[in-house]
């Protein structure tokens, strides 16, 4: 167990407890980070838990943190044994927004020339399923990160908001677009224009979150969902994620055509044959992700 503790980068993530050596494994391709923690969870290490780790700054999203998050996501994408991810935050915040101290000196020419925030949507481009475990404040860029995830679980202490208007600006990493799709125009407008925050239960009622959990159970429940997803065929979950996301980007007819094409394509996989054989034979499927 001591060896495992040495491996875990600054262990102590809220909600995490020490894990047995068989379940606390790092991705072989994952580098060491200062602002992000990565841990493997699940019986077969099939879930990558990625934790934002600037607790003294409420996990404010600095350029360095976002760069490390991108690297951690790249490593999880490359690791074939990872079937799903969980994103959470260390301490009492998921992420309280962008690092304003780092941002305040920027000017328009630099923002425009450098395409500021261009890489902050890396999470939205992850092909594997991602579950957000929102353990506290998810404001500004933190709310936008949660919106980029595929499923949102919230602790009873979570709060969601887009307070950029109070800084004389507006969301810049998809908040105005994804929030409307999650909660509808009227509530999104209220949140963006007045900086109103949603409690966890309000987020559940509005459709931003799919479950509210006690703080102490949040991470375990998010990992349990991610592990359940990871037990399925990775080919099928990737296809299904692509089809669902298309519903927000194309019309109904085109979305249904894409769904049908992906459904047909699944018949070229070994996992589809195995899944149907297992159903017919009344046994658990043994997916090989091929």
């Amino acid at each position: 167990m001591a060896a495992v503790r040495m491996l875990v980068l600054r262990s102590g993530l809220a909600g995490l407890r020490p894990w047995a050596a068989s379940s606390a494994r790092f991705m072989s391709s994952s580098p060491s980070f200062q602002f992000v923690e990565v841990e493997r969870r699940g019986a077969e290490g099939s879930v990558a838990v990625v934790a934002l780790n600037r607790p003294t700054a409420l996990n404010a999203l600095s350029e360095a943190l976002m760069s490390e998050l991108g690297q951690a996501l790249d490593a999880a994408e490359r690791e074939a044994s990872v079937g799903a991810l969980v994103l959470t935050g260390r301490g009492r915040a998921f992420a309280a927004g962008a690092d304003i101290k780092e941002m305040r000196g920027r000017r328009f020419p630099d923002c425009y020339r450098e395409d500021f925030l261009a890489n902050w949507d890396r999470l939205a481009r992850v092909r594997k399923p991602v579950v957000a475990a929102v353990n506290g404040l998810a404001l500004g860029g933190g709310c936008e990160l949660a919106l980029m995830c595929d499923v949102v679980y919230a602790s009873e202490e979570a709060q969601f908001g887009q307070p950029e208007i109070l800084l004389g600006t507006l969301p810049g990493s998809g908040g105005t677009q994804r929030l409307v799709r999650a909660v509808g125009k009227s509530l999104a407008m209220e949140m963006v224009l007045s900086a109103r925050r949603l409690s966890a239960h309000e987020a559940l009622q509005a459709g931003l979150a799919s479950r509210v959990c006690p703080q102490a159970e949040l991470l375990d429940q998010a990992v349990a969902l991610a592990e359940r997803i990871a037990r399925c065929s990775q080919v099928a979950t990737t296809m299904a994620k692509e089809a669902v996301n298309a519903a927000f980007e194309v019309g109904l007819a085109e979305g249904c055509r894409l769904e049908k094409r992906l459904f047909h394509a699944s018949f070229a996989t070994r996992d589809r044959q195995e899944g149907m054989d297992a159903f017919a034979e009344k046994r658990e499927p043994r997916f090989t992700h091929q």
Side-chain angles (χ1 to χ4, degrees), residues 12-19 41 89 91 135 215-220:
L13 175 67
L16 263 82
R17 56 182 181 269
W19 306 108
R41 290 281 304 271
N135 53 299
Q215 179 79 359
E217 300 174 13
L218 172 68
L219 190 60
D220 284 343

Side-chain angles (χ1 to χ4, degrees), residues 33-72:
F33 300 122
Q34 182 179 359
F35 301 119
V36 171
E37 292 180 336
V38 181
E39 184 183 17
R40 294 287 288 278
R41 290 281 304 271
E44 298 179 0
S46 60
V47 177
V49 176
V50 181
L52 309 180
N53 185 34
R54 291 186 72 197
T56 58
L58 298 180
N59 297 324
L61 305 178
S62 64
E63 285 289 309
L65 184 151
M66 295 304 292
S67 175
E68 290 185 0
L69 176 60
Q71 294 176 58

Side-chain angles (χ1 to χ4, degrees), residues 188-212:
M189 279 289 193
E190 185 178 2
M191 293 174 67
V192 170
L193 297 180
S194 73
R196 176 190 166 184
R197 296 184 186 183
L198 295 186
S199 69
H201 288 285
E202 287 175 320
L204 176 65
Q205 185 177 17
L208 197 161
S210 61
R211 180 171 296 189
V212 175

Side-chain angles (χ1 to χ4, degrees), residues 138-140 143-144 147 159-166 171 175-176 179-180 182-199 202-203 206 208:
L139 306 178
C143 186
E144 289 172 312
L147 289 166
Q159 294 183 41
F160 300 83
Q162 299 288 168
E164 290 89 347
I165 203 75
L166 302 178
T176 63
L179 190 60
V180 173
V183 305
K185 177 184 176 181
S186 181
L187 183 53
M189 279 289 193
E190 185 178 2
M191 293 174 67
V192 170
L193 297 180
S194 73
R196 176 190 166 184
R197 296 184 186 183
L198 295 186
S199 69
E202 287 175 320
L208 197 161

Side-chain angles (χ1 to χ4, degrees), residues 1 4 19-26 40-46:
M1 181 63 73
V4 172
W19 306 108
S22 62
S23 62
R25 295 175 293 171
F26 280 88
R40 294 287 288 278
R41 290 281 304 271
E44 298 179 0
S46 60

Side-chain angles (χ1 to χ4, degrees), residues 35 64 98 114 130-131 139 287:
F35 301 119
E114 298 170 9
V130 183
V131 179
L139 306 178
F287 293 122

